[in-house]
C-alpha cells in the first residue's frame, strides 16, 4: 500500500519514506490500540497488532531512513 520504497502509489495513502521516527511509532501504537477510526485506519489494525514495541521502533527507523 505504501510502496516498496515508502512512496505510495495511491494518493489517498500517505508516503512513509522520510517520516519522523516518533510519528511512525505513535501512529503504529494508535493503530494497534484501534484509536484511529477512519476506513484507512481500520486496514492497518491487523498489521499493527502483530508488532511489538521493538518491531515498531525498527519499522520507524527504517522508513525514516528512506528518501
Amino acid at each position: 500500500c505504501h510502496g516498496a520504497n515508502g512512496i505510495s502509489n495511491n494518493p489517498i495513502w500517505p508516503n512513509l519514506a522520510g517520516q519522523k521516527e516518533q510519528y511512525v511509532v505513535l501512529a503504529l501504537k494508535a493503530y494497534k490500540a484501534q484509536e484511529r477510526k477512519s476506513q484507512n485506519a481500520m486496514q492497518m489494525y491487523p498489521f499493527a497488532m502483530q508488532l511489538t514495541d521493538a518491531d515498531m521502533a525498527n519499522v520507524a527507523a527504517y522508513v525514516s531512513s528512506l528518501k
Side-chain angles (χ1 to χ4, degrees), residues 28 55 60:
L28 288 171
D55 293 334

Side-chain angles (χ1 to χ4, degrees), residues 5-51:
N5 294 315
I7 305 298
S8 175
N9 295 324
N10 188 319
I12 65 169
W13 299 324
N15 293 328
L16 296 181
Q19 285 283 3
K20 294 182 180 182
E21 285 185 52
Q22 186 176 7
Y23 172 79
V24 175
V25 169
L26 291 175
L28 288 171
K29 286 183 179 190
Y31 291 128
K32 187 173 184 173
Q34 297 184 7
E35 295 172 347
R36 292 189 173 193
K37 301 293 182 186
S38 73
Q39 177 82 22
N40 290 333
M42 289 181 210
Q43 295 175 11
M44 286 295 299
Y45 294 170
F47 299 105
M49 287 180 175
Q50 298 176 50
L51 301 175

